[in-house]
Amino acid sequence: MGGRTVRLSSPDKVFFPERGYTKLDVARYYQAVAPGILRALRDRPTTLERYPDGITGEWFYQKRAPKGMPDWIPTARITFPSGRSADEMCPTEEAAVVWAAQYGTLTFHPWPVRRDDVDHPDELRIDLDPQPGTDYRDAARAAHELRAVLDEFGGLRGWPKTSGGRGLHVFVPIEPRWTFTQVRRAAIALGRELERRMPDQVTIKWWKEERGARIFLDYNQTARDRTIASAYSVRPRPHAPVSAPLRWEEVGVARPEDFDLATMPARFAELGDVHAGMDDHAYSLEPLLQLAARDERDHGLGDLPYPPEYPKMPGEPKRVQPSRARAGKKEGPAA
């Protein structure tokens, strides 16, 4: 692996009992798709989702670089919404991915920034999350309309992938000129426009009680310290699915269950990384930010609630679910 040697302890430890896949199978999988996952992770501060005893055992998110991490794996210092900071690993080569797999990492959660500029995202990440009563097919329909909206507002191009579950992710490479707050504002404007076009199919309502049987565009996935599973990451479900990069013509045709630990290596060997050209582009968010300004000026549509663990943000509306507000209960302190 590029001249590195990574020792795999307990290679026969079963990580996926239903399919019998072992730690060695996971490591070999990541070797098979190494150019693809490195394209997704390279130079990005990355949180590790670790399952040391497989998916039936205890698991945790490793945000800080693990003790004993080899000195050839670089790190970057990132700052959380709380103001605290941490050094996270930044994979730059295949051996770093396999090293993480040795310690039970199944899913890699890279920040949308590079280690040379950790405060300005270079990706706008859109998470289309099916709510109860909807499924992947509904997410696919929303994704195709999203593609049209992106093109209309600045000729943006998105790269779609399965989440590894029922949802879809669309990543848009952007110029690293805007803050997390501005990127989130662009995502809200995008979500509102999509909601206007598909009001019965798409929502950006933060409170679950308001979403109904619609696809939720989770704009808060663009907030600082919120990450999305990388392309090619293994997901901790019994059949060992993976987050699969797609071509647009495959969205709605290919199914999430088509892509797993066993099938993705063959697809990769045949097609390579279908998102390989993504880093050759960097789009402007100005048209979406102008849309956000118009929404606020003409329709009074300002900010939306942040996740509960975030400090209260400037311009944020009351962080209280509507049913509680109607009942006259006061808003509690932000977590």
Side-chain angles (χ1 to χ4, degrees):
M1 291 179 288
R4 308 283 188 198
T5 298
V6 177
R7 180 178 176 272
L8 208 64
S9 62
S10 304
D12 296 329
K13 180 182 286 187
V14 176
F15 273 20
F16 293 88
E18 186 174 292
R19 304 290 295 273
Y21 296 142
T22 65
K23 179 193 284 189
L24 180 60
D25 292 324
V26 172
R28 284 176 171 166
Y29 164 78
Y30 280 124
Q31 284 186 287
V33 300
I37 193 154
L38 280 176
R39 191 265 314 154
L41 299 180
R42 185 173 284 111
D43 288 323
R44 297 190 183 280
T46 299
T47 297
L48 309 178
E49 188 176 343
R50 293 177 55 188
Y51 293 76
D53 296 312
I55 64 168
T56 58
E58 294 185 1
W59 65 278
F60 58 96
Y61 289 110
Q62 179 92 47
K63 292 195 172 186
R64 289 169 171 78
K67 293 181 179 179
M69 189 178 74
D71 57 12
W72 47 265
I73 300 178
T75 62
R77 178 153 295 183
I78 47 87
T79 303
F80 302 117
S82 64
R84 293 176 297 176
S85 61
D87 295 326
E88 287 203 344
M89 72 176 293
C90 300
T92 57
E93 51 189 291
E94 175 186 344
V97 177
V98 176
W99 178 87
Q102 144 66 14
Y103 286 91
T105 300
L106 294 182
T107 306
F108 294 83
H109 295 267
W111 281 50
V113 300
R114 308 281 183 172
R115 61 189 172 111
D116 59 352
D117 185 355
V118 296
D119 292 317
H120 296 90
D122 68 347
E123 287 180 347
L124 168 63
R125 298 175 175 179
I126 302 134
D127 181 9
L128 298 172
D129 185 12
Q131 300 302 291
T134 65
D135 58 20
Y136 174 78
R137 291 171 296 179
D138 299 302
R141 283 190 286 270
H144 282 294
E145 187 62 33
L146 172 70
R147 185 186 187 190
V149 175
L150 287 170
D151 183 63
E152 184 174 329
F153 288 90
L156 304 181
R157 178 184 172 189
W159 276 257
K161 68 182 184 71
T162 67
S163 67
R166 300 188 307 140
L168 277 165
H169 302 149
V170 179
F171 285 10
V172 180
I174 60 174
E175 300 168 9
R177 295 199 286 123
W178 296 277
T179 64
F180 280 93
T181 302
Q182 290 171 311
V183 174
R184 179 179 174 275
R185 190 175 186 219
I188 290 173
L190 180 64
R192 283 177 168 145
E193 181 64 23
L194 187 62
E195 187 179 52
R196 281 190 283 264
R197 298 185 185 198
M198 303 181 73
D200 296 326
Q201 292 84 39
V202 173
T203 182
I204 59 166
K205 299 292 188 184
W206 176 246
W207 303 105
K208 290 183 179 180
E209 64 187 32
E210 294 187 304
R211 293 178 191 169
R214 292 179 287 182
I215 299 298
F216 172 49
L217 190 150
D218 188 355
Y219 61 89
N220 268 329
Q221 289 292 55
T222 55
R224 179 184 288 272
D225 193 34
R226 295 296 281 256
T227 57
I228 293 177
S230 77
Y232 301 102
S233 272
V234 180
R235 306 314 307 275
R237 296 181 175 89
H239 60 293
V242 303
S243 180
L246 300 175
R247 298 167 294 193
W248 273 109
E249 59 268 26
E250 295 179 297
V251 174
V253 178
R255 301 170 301 172
E257 56 266 30
D258 294 337
F259 310 106
D260 60 27
L261 202 69
T263 61
M264 180 55 82
R267 172 182 168 87
F268 195 89
E270 178 185 358
L271 301 177
D273 179 15
V274 298
H275 287 187
M278 184 174 168
D279 287 346
D280 296 334
H281 302 268
Y283 296 101
S284 173
L285 283 183
E286 287 301 336
L288 285 178
L289 291 172
Q290 291 169 9
L291 174 62
R294 289 197 299 272
D295 279 344
E296 186 163 9
R297 181 187 66 238
D298 299 340
H299 306 291
L301 298 173
D303 204 355
L304 292 173
Y306 274 77
E309 70 273 16
Y310 280 63
K312 189 70 174 178
M313 301 295 287
E316 181 188 2
K318 287 185 177 181
R319 199 180 298 175
V320 57
Q321 64 192 71
S323 59
R324 290 175 61 88
R326 287 192 297 270
K329 296 184 178 180
K330 294 181 179 180
E331 178 186 11

PDB file of all heavy atoms in Angstrom, residues 30-59:
ATOM      1  N   TYR A  30     -11.930  -1.938   1.230  1.00  0.00           N
ATOM      2  CA  TYR A  30     -11.384  -0.593   1.112  1.00  0.00           C
ATOM      3  C   TYR A  30     -10.155  -0.545   0.207  1.00  0.00           C
ATOM      4  O   TYR A  30      -9.903   0.464  -0.471  1.00  0.00           O
ATOM      5  CB  TYR A  30     -11.101  -0.003   2.496  1.00  0.00           C
ATOM      6  CG  TYR A  30     -12.357   0.542   3.143  1.00  0.00           C
ATOM      7  CD1 TYR A  30     -12.780   0.117   4.399  1.00  0.00           C
ATOM      8  CD2 TYR A  30     -13.135   1.472   2.471  1.00  0.00           C
ATOM      9  CE1 TYR A  30     -13.940   0.609   4.974  1.00  0.00           C
ATOM     10  CE2 TYR A  30     -14.301   1.967   3.037  1.00  0.00           C
ATOM     11  CZ  TYR A  30     -14.702   1.535   4.277  1.00  0.00           C
ATOM     12  OH  TYR A  30     -15.865   2.026   4.826  1.00  0.00           O
ATOM     13  N   GLN A  31      -9.416  -1.620   0.148  1.00  0.00           N
ATOM     14  CA  GLN A  31      -8.329  -1.680  -0.825  1.00  0.00           C
ATOM     15  C   GLN A  31      -8.867  -1.686  -2.245  1.00  0.00           C
ATOM     16  O   GLN A  31      -8.316  -1.037  -3.145  1.00  0.00           O
ATOM     17  CB  GLN A  31      -7.480  -2.930  -0.583  1.00  0.00           C
ATOM     18  CG  GLN A  31      -6.537  -2.833   0.604  1.00  0.00           C
ATOM     19  CD  GLN A  31      -5.629  -4.048   0.686  1.00  0.00           C
ATOM     20  OE1 GLN A  31      -6.055  -5.143   1.036  1.00  0.00           O
ATOM     21  NE2 GLN A  31      -4.362  -3.857   0.345  1.00  0.00           N
ATOM     22  N   ALA A  32      -9.971  -2.387  -2.471  1.00  0.00           N
ATOM     23  CA  ALA A  32     -10.540  -2.508  -3.807  1.00  0.00           C
ATOM     24  C   ALA A  32     -11.074  -1.178  -4.336  1.00  0.00           C
ATOM     25  O   ALA A  32     -11.056  -0.932  -5.546  1.00  0.00           O
ATOM     26  CB  ALA A  32     -11.649  -3.563  -3.809  1.00  0.00           C
ATOM     27  N   VAL A  33     -11.574  -0.326  -3.429  1.00  0.00           N
ATOM     28  CA  VAL A  33     -12.157   0.949  -3.866  1.00  0.00           C
ATOM     29  C   VAL A  33     -11.281   2.128  -3.444  1.00  0.00           C
ATOM     30  O   VAL A  33     -11.742   3.263  -3.386  1.00  0.00           O
ATOM     31  CB  VAL A  33     -13.588   1.129  -3.301  1.00  0.00           C
ATOM     32  CG1 VAL A  33     -14.489  -0.002  -3.792  1.00  0.00           C
ATOM     33  CG2 VAL A  33     -13.594   1.197  -1.768  1.00  0.00           C
ATOM     34  N   ALA A  34     -10.001   1.854  -3.169  1.00  0.00           N
ATOM     35  CA  ALA A  34      -9.112   2.870  -2.592  1.00  0.00           C
ATOM     36  C   ALA A  34      -9.093   4.187  -3.364  1.00  0.00           C
ATOM     37  O   ALA A  34      -9.211   5.258  -2.752  1.00  0.00           O
ATOM     38  CB  ALA A  34      -7.705   2.309  -2.448  1.00  0.00           C
ATOM     39  N   PRO A  35      -8.964   4.197  -4.697  1.00  0.00           N
ATOM     40  CA  PRO A  35      -8.935   5.503  -5.381  1.00  0.00           C
ATOM     41  C   PRO A  35     -10.214   6.307  -5.173  1.00  0.00           C
ATOM     42  O   PRO A  35     -10.165   7.539  -5.084  1.00  0.00           O
ATOM     43  CB  PRO A  35      -8.743   5.125  -6.852  1.00  0.00           C
ATOM     44  CG  PRO A  35      -8.113   3.762  -6.825  1.00  0.00           C
ATOM     45  CD  PRO A  35      -8.731   3.083  -5.638  1.00  0.00           C
ATOM     46  N   GLY A  36     -11.345   5.606  -5.081  1.00  0.00           N
ATOM     47  CA  GLY A  36     -12.617   6.297  -4.893  1.00  0.00           C
ATOM     48  C   GLY A  36     -12.763   6.876  -3.506  1.00  0.00           C
ATOM     49  O   GLY A  36     -13.128   8.052  -3.341  1.00  0.00           O
ATOM     50  N   ILE A  37     -12.484   6.087  -2.485  1.00  0.00           N
ATOM     51  CA  ILE A  37     -12.672   6.624  -1.131  1.00  0.00           C
ATOM     52  C   ILE A  37     -11.602   7.664  -0.811  1.00  0.00           C
ATOM     53  O   ILE A  37     -11.874   8.627  -0.084  1.00  0.00           O
ATOM     54  CB  ILE A  37     -12.719   5.511  -0.068  1.00  0.00           C
ATOM     55  CG1 ILE A  37     -13.233   6.116   1.254  1.00  0.00           C
ATOM     56  CG2 ILE A  37     -11.374   4.820   0.115  1.00  0.00           C
ATOM     57  CD1 ILE A  37     -13.895   5.173   2.169  1.00  0.00           C
ATOM     58  N   LEU A  38     -10.427   7.537  -1.389  1.00  0.00           N
ATOM     59  CA  LEU A  38      -9.419   8.575  -1.162  1.00  0.00           C
ATOM     60  C   LEU A  38      -9.822   9.882  -1.831  1.00  0.00           C
ATOM     61  O   LEU A  38      -9.565  10.969  -1.288  1.00  0.00           O
ATOM     62  CB  LEU A  38      -8.057   8.116  -1.679  1.00  0.00           C
ATOM     63  CG  LEU A  38      -7.294   7.181  -0.749  1.00  0.00           C
ATOM     64  CD1 LEU A  38      -6.010   6.709  -1.415  1.00  0.00           C
ATOM     65  CD2 LEU A  38      -6.975   7.866   0.572  1.00  0.00           C
ATOM     66  N   ARG A  39     -10.449   9.797  -2.985  1.00  0.00           N
ATOM     67  CA  ARG A  39     -10.959  11.018  -3.620  1.00  0.00           C
ATOM     68  C   ARG A  39     -11.967  11.714  -2.685  1.00  0.00           C
ATOM     69  O   ARG A  39     -12.003  12.936  -2.560  1.00  0.00           O
ATOM     70  CB  ARG A  39     -11.605  10.659  -4.958  1.00  0.00           C
ATOM     71  CG  ARG A  39     -11.955  11.847  -5.847  1.00  0.00           C
ATOM     72  CD  ARG A  39     -13.386  12.281  -5.685  1.00  0.00           C
ATOM     73  NE  ARG A  39     -14.306  11.169  -5.711  1.00  0.00           N
ATOM     74  CZ  ARG A  39     -15.486  11.163  -5.122  1.00  0.00           C
ATOM     75  NH1 ARG A  39     -15.890  12.218  -4.427  1.00  0.00           N
ATOM     76  NH2 ARG A  39     -16.264  10.104  -5.165  1.00  0.00           N
ATOM     77  N   ALA A  40     -12.778  10.932  -1.992  1.00  0.00           N
ATOM     78  CA  ALA A  40     -13.791  11.487  -1.100  1.00  0.00           C
ATOM     79  C   ALA A  40     -13.201  12.012   0.219  1.00  0.00           C
ATOM     80  O   ALA A  40     -13.769  12.930   0.823  1.00  0.00           O
ATOM     81  CB  ALA A  40     -14.859  10.436  -0.805  1.00  0.00           C
ATOM     82  N   LEU A  41     -12.077  11.440   0.668  1.00  0.00           N
ATOM     83  CA  LEU A  41     -11.531  11.763   1.990  1.00  0.00           C
ATOM     84  C   LEU A  41     -10.287  12.630   1.959  1.00  0.00           C
ATOM     85  O   LEU A  41      -9.965  13.259   2.984  1.00  0.00           O
ATOM     86  CB  LEU A  41     -11.175  10.468   2.731  1.00  0.00           C
ATOM     87  CG  LEU A  41     -12.281   9.466   3.036  1.00  0.00           C
ATOM     88  CD1 LEU A  41     -11.696   8.262   3.767  1.00  0.00           C
ATOM     89  CD2 LEU A  41     -13.384  10.108   3.857  1.00  0.00           C
ATOM     90  N   ARG A  42      -9.591  12.683   0.868  1.00  0.00           N
ATOM     91  CA  ARG A  42      -8.242  13.247   0.865  1.00  0.00           C
ATOM     92  C   ARG A  42      -8.190  14.647   1.456  1.00  0.00           C
ATOM     93  O   ARG A  42      -8.925  15.546   1.031  1.00  0.00           O
ATOM     94  CB  ARG A  42      -7.665  13.258  -0.548  1.00  0.00           C
ATOM     95  CG  ARG A  42      -6.205  13.735  -0.608  1.00  0.00           C
ATOM     96  CD  ARG A  42      -5.603  13.590  -1.974  1.00  0.00           C
ATOM     97  NE  ARG A  42      -5.272  12.188  -2.257  1.00  0.00           N
ATOM     98  CZ  ARG A  42      -5.889  11.427  -3.139  1.00  0.00           C
ATOM     99  NH1 ARG A  42      -6.911  11.908  -3.821  1.00  0.00           N
ATOM    100  NH2 ARG A  42      -5.516  10.174  -3.336  1.00  0.00           N
ATOM    101  N   ASP A  43      -7.324  14.790   2.465  1.00  0.00           N
ATOM    102  CA  ASP A  43      -7.055  16.074   3.128  1.00  0.00           C
ATOM    103  C   ASP A  43      -8.254  16.616   3.893  1.00  0.00           C
ATOM    104  O   ASP A  43      -8.250  17.790   4.288  1.00  0.00           O
ATOM    105  CB  ASP A  43      -6.566  17.126   2.124  1.00  0.00           C
ATOM    106  CG  ASP A  43      -5.142  16.852   1.653  1.00  0.00           C
ATOM    107  OD1 ASP A  43      -4.340  16.399   2.486  1.00  0.00           O
ATOM    108  OD2 ASP A  43      -4.846  17.073   0.467  1.00  0.00           O
ATOM    109  N   ARG A  44      -9.260  15.784   4.151  1.00  0.00           N
ATOM    110  CA  ARG A  44     -10.425  16.253   4.899  1.00  0.00           C
ATOM    111  C   ARG A  44     -10.355  15.755   6.347  1.00  0.00           C
ATOM    112  O   ARG A  44     -10.124  14.561   6.580  1.00  0.00           O
ATOM    113  CB  ARG A  44     -11.724  15.743   4.262  1.00  0.00           C
ATOM    114  CG  ARG A  44     -11.959  16.250   2.850  1.00  0.00           C
ATOM    115  CD  ARG A  44     -13.372  15.914   2.365  1.00  0.00           C
ATOM    116  NE  ARG A  44     -13.553  16.353   0.992  1.00  0.00           N
ATOM    117  CZ  ARG A  44     -13.821  17.605   0.627  1.00  0.00           C
ATOM    118  NH1 ARG A  44     -13.940  18.535   1.556  1.00  0.00           N
ATOM    119  NH2 ARG A  44     -13.975  17.921  -0.645  1.00  0.00           N
ATOM    120  N   PRO A  45     -10.561  16.645   7.318  1.00  0.00           N
ATOM    121  CA  PRO A  45     -10.716  16.160   8.689  1.00  0.00           C
ATOM    122  C   PRO A  45     -11.856  15.147   8.720  1.00  0.00           C
ATOM    123  O   PRO A  45     -12.939  15.409   8.193  1.00  0.00           O
ATOM    124  CB  PRO A  45     -11.070  17.431   9.469  1.00  0.00           C
ATOM    125  CG  PRO A  45     -10.600  18.561   8.619  1.00  0.00           C
ATOM    126  CD  PRO A  45     -10.731  18.097   7.197  1.00  0.00           C
ATOM    127  N   THR A  46     -11.603  13.993   9.332  1.00  0.00           N
ATOM    128  CA  THR A  46     -12.543  12.878   9.205  1.00  0.00           C
ATOM    129  C   THR A  46     -12.849  12.250  10.561  1.00  0.00           C
ATOM    130  O   THR A  46     -11.949  11.850  11.296  1.00  0.00           O
ATOM    131  CB  THR A  46     -11.975  11.803   8.256  1.00  0.00           C
ATOM    132  OG1 THR A  46     -11.769  12.392   6.960  1.00  0.00           O
ATOM    133  CG2 THR A  46     -12.925  10.633   8.114  1.00  0.00           C
ATOM    134  N   THR A  47     -14.140  12.155  10.856  1.00  0.00           N
ATOM    135  CA  THR A  47     -14.622  11.442  12.037  1.00  0.00           C
ATOM    136  C   THR A  47     -14.809   9.974  11.668  1.00  0.00           C
ATOM    137  O   THR A  47     -15.317   9.654  10.588  1.00  0.00           O
ATOM    138  CB  THR A  47     -15.955  12.038  12.518  1.00  0.00           C
ATOM    139  OG1 THR A  47     -15.743  13.397  12.911  1.00  0.00           O
ATOM    140  CG2 THR A  47     -16.515  11.255  13.688  1.00  0.00           C
ATOM    141  N   LEU A  48     -14.379   9.098  12.559  1.00  0.00           N
ATOM    142  CA  LEU A  48     -14.464   7.656  12.318  1.00  0.00           C
ATOM    143  C   LEU A  48     -15.647   7.068  13.090  1.00  0.00           C
ATOM    144  O   LEU A  48     -15.786   7.301  14.287  1.00  0.00           O
ATOM    145  CB  LEU A  48     -13.176   6.971  12.754  1.00  0.00           C
ATOM    146  CG  LEU A  48     -11.861   7.560  12.217  1.00  0.00           C
ATOM    147  CD1 LEU A  48     -10.674   6.795  12.786  1.00  0.00           C
ATOM    148  CD2 LEU A  48     -11.839   7.550  10.695  1.00  0.00           C
ATOM    149  N   GLU A  49     -16.482   6.311  12.405  1.00  0.00           N
ATOM    150  CA  GLU A  49     -17.569   5.586  13.057  1.00  0.00           C
ATOM    151  C   GLU A  49     -17.092   4.150  13.265  1.00  0.00           C
ATOM    152  O   GLU A  49     -16.997   3.372  12.319  1.00  0.00           O
ATOM    153  CB  GLU A  49     -18.831   5.630  12.201  1.00  0.00           C
ATOM    154  CG  GLU A  49     -20.058   5.061  12.886  1.00  0.00           C
ATOM    155  CD  GLU A  49     -21.320   5.198  12.051  1.00  0.00           C
ATOM    156  OE1 GLU A  49     -21.329   6.006  11.100  1.00  0.00           O
ATOM    157  OE2 GLU A  49     -22.295   4.483  12.349  1.00  0.00           O
ATOM    158  N   ARG A  50     -16.772   3.825  14.526  1.00  0.00           N
ATOM    159  CA  ARG A  50     -16.040   2.593  14.818  1.00  0.00           C
ATOM    160  C   ARG A  50     -16.922   1.536  15.488  1.00  0.00           C
ATOM    161  O   ARG A  50     -17.706   1.824  16.384  1.00  0.00           O
ATOM    162  CB  ARG A  50     -14.830   2.906  15.703  1.00  0.00           C
ATOM    163  CG  ARG A  50     -13.769   3.735  15.000  1.00  0.00           C
ATOM    164  CD  ARG A  50     -12.620   4.082  15.938  1.00  0.00           C
ATOM    165  NE  ARG A  50     -12.028   2.909  16.549  1.00  0.00           N
ATOM    166  CZ  ARG A  50     -11.117   2.933  17.519  1.00  0.00           C
ATOM    167  NH1 ARG A  50     -10.705   4.102  17.991  1.00  0.00           N
ATOM    168  NH2 ARG A  50     -10.635   1.821  18.016  1.00  0.00           N
ATOM    169  N   TYR A  51     -16.722   0.305  15.039  1.00  0.00           N
ATOM    170  CA  TYR A  51     -17.415  -0.874  15.569  1.00  0.00           C
ATOM    171  C   TYR A  51     -16.359  -1.934  15.863  1.00  0.00           C
ATOM    172  O   TYR A  51     -16.197  -2.893  15.098  1.00  0.00           O
ATOM    173  CB  TYR A  51     -18.434  -1.400  14.546  1.00  0.00           C
ATOM    174  CG  TYR A  51     -19.580  -0.458  14.302  1.00  0.00           C
ATOM    175  CD1 TYR A  51     -19.418   0.679  13.516  1.00  0.00           C
ATOM    176  CD2 TYR A  51     -20.824  -0.691  14.877  1.00  0.00           C
ATOM    177  CE1 TYR A  51     -20.463   1.560  13.306  1.00  0.00           C
ATOM    178  CE2 TYR A  51     -21.882   0.175  14.669  1.00  0.00           C
ATOM    179  CZ  TYR A  51     -21.697   1.292  13.884  1.00  0.00           C
ATOM    180  OH  TYR A  51     -22.742   2.161  13.682  1.00  0.00           O
ATOM    181  N   PRO A  52     -15.622  -1.794  16.956  1.00  0.00           N
ATOM    182  CA  PRO A  52     -14.500  -2.707  17.219  1.00  0.00           C
ATOM    183  C   PRO A  52     -14.895  -4.176  17.273  1.00  0.00           C
ATOM    184  O   PRO A  52     -14.071  -5.051  16.974  1.00  0.00           O
ATOM    185  CB  PRO A  52     -13.968  -2.225  18.571  1.00  0.00           C
ATOM    186  CG  PRO A  52     -14.427  -0.813  18.675  1.00  0.00           C
ATOM    187  CD  PRO A  52     -15.749  -0.762  17.983  1.00  0.00           C
ATOM    188  N   ASP A  53     -16.137  -4.469  17.673  1.00  0.00           N
ATOM    189  CA  ASP A  53     -16.599  -5.851  17.761  1.00  0.00           C
ATOM    190  C   ASP A  53     -17.686  -6.159  16.737  1.00  0.00           C
ATOM    191  O   ASP A  53     -18.495  -7.080  16.925  1.00  0.00           O
ATOM    192  CB  ASP A  53     -17.118  -6.135  19.176  1.00  0.00           C
ATOM    193  CG  ASP A  53     -16.010  -6.024  20.212  1.00  0.00           C
ATOM    194  OD1 ASP A  53     -14.932  -6.615  19.979  1.00  0.00           O
ATOM    195  OD2 ASP A  53     -16.205  -5.333  21.224  1.00  0.00           O
ATOM    196  N   GLY A  54     -17.707  -5.408  15.653  1.00  0.00           N
ATOM    197  CA  GLY A  54     -18.713  -5.645  14.628  1.00  0.00           C
ATOM    198  C   GLY A  54     -20.004  -4.912  14.920  1.00  0.00           C
ATOM    199  O   GLY A  54     -20.158  -4.255  15.957  1.00  0.00           O
ATOM    200  N   ILE A  55     -20.959  -5.034  14.005  1.00  0.00           N
ATOM    201  CA  ILE A  55     -22.156  -4.193  14.096  1.00  0.00           C
ATOM    202  C   ILE A  55     -23.090  -4.592  15.230  1.00  0.00           C
ATOM    203  O   ILE A  55     -24.002  -3.835  15.564  1.00  0.00           O
ATOM    204  CB  ILE A  55     -22.925  -4.186  12.766  1.00  0.00           C
ATOM    205  CG1 ILE A  55     -23.470  -5.577  12.422  1.00  0.00           C
ATOM    206  CG2 ILE A  55     -22.054  -3.653  11.646  1.00  0.00           C
ATOM    207  CD1 ILE A  55     -24.473  -5.569  11.286  1.00  0.00           C
ATOM    208  N   THR A  56     -22.882  -5.749  15.839  1.00  0.00           N
ATOM    209  CA  THR A  56     -23.731  -6.137  16.967  1.00  0.00           C
ATOM    210  C   THR A  56     -23.140  -5.712  18.304  1.00  0.00           C
ATOM    211  O   THR A  56     -23.773  -5.894  19.349  1.00  0.00           O
ATOM    212  CB  THR A  56     -23.958  -7.657  16.980  1.00  0.00           C
ATOM    213  OG1 THR A  56     -22.690  -8.319  17.056  1.00  0.00           O
ATOM    214  CG2 THR A  56     -24.685  -8.114  15.718  1.00  0.00           C
ATOM    215  N   GLY A  57     -21.945  -5.128  18.285  1.00  0.00           N
ATOM    216  CA  GLY A  57     -21.298  -4.697  19.518  1.00  0.00           C
ATOM    217  C   GLY A  57     -21.444  -3.205  19.736  1.00  0.00           C
ATOM    218  O   GLY A  57     -22.166  -2.508  19.017  1.00  0.00           O
ATOM    219  N   GLU A  58     -20.777  -2.700  20.744  1.00  0.00           N
ATOM    220  CA  GLU A  58     -20.808  -1.276  21.024  1.00  0.00           C
ATOM    221  C   GLU A  58     -20.061  -0.510  19.933  1.00  0.00           C
ATOM    222  O   GLU A  58     -19.136  -1.031  19.304  1.00  0.00           O
ATOM    223  CB  GLU A  58     -20.185  -0.988  22.386  1.00  0.00           C
ATOM    224  CG  GLU A  58     -20.977  -1.566  23.560  1.00  0.00           C
ATOM    225  CD  GLU A  58     -20.403  -1.170  24.904  1.00  0.00           C
ATOM    226  OE1 GLU A  58     -19.393  -0.433  24.924  1.00  0.00           O
ATOM    227  OE2 GLU A  58     -20.959  -1.588  25.931  1.00  0.00           O
ATOM    228  N   TRP A  59     -20.479   0.717  19.721  1.00  0.00           N
ATOM    229  CA  TRP A  59     -19.852   1.540  18.684  1.00  0.00           C
ATOM    230  C   TRP A  59     -19.767   2.981  19.176  1.00  0.00           C
ATOM    231  O   TRP A  59     -20.417   3.369  20.142  1.00  0.00           O
ATOM    232  CB  TRP A  59     -20.649   1.465  17.385  1.00  0.00           C
ATOM    233  CG  TRP A  59     -22.030   2.064  17.487  1.00  0.00           C
ATOM    234  CD1 TRP A  59     -23.150   1.470  17.992  1.00  0.00           C
ATOM    235  CD2 TRP A  59     -22.410   3.387  17.114  1.00  0.00           C
ATOM    236  NE1 TRP A  59     -24.209   2.344  17.948  1.00  0.00           N
ATOM    237  CE2 TRP A  59     -23.785   3.528  17.404  1.00  0.00           C
ATOM    238  CE3 TRP A  59     -21.712   4.465  16.550  1.00  0.00           C
ATOM    239  CZ2 TRP A  59     -24.484   4.711  17.155  1.00  0.00           C
ATOM    240  CZ3 TRP A  59     -22.405   5.644  16.287  1.00  0.00           C
ATOM    241  CH2 TRP A  59     -23.781   5.749  16.594  1.00  0.00           C
TER     242      TRP A  59
END
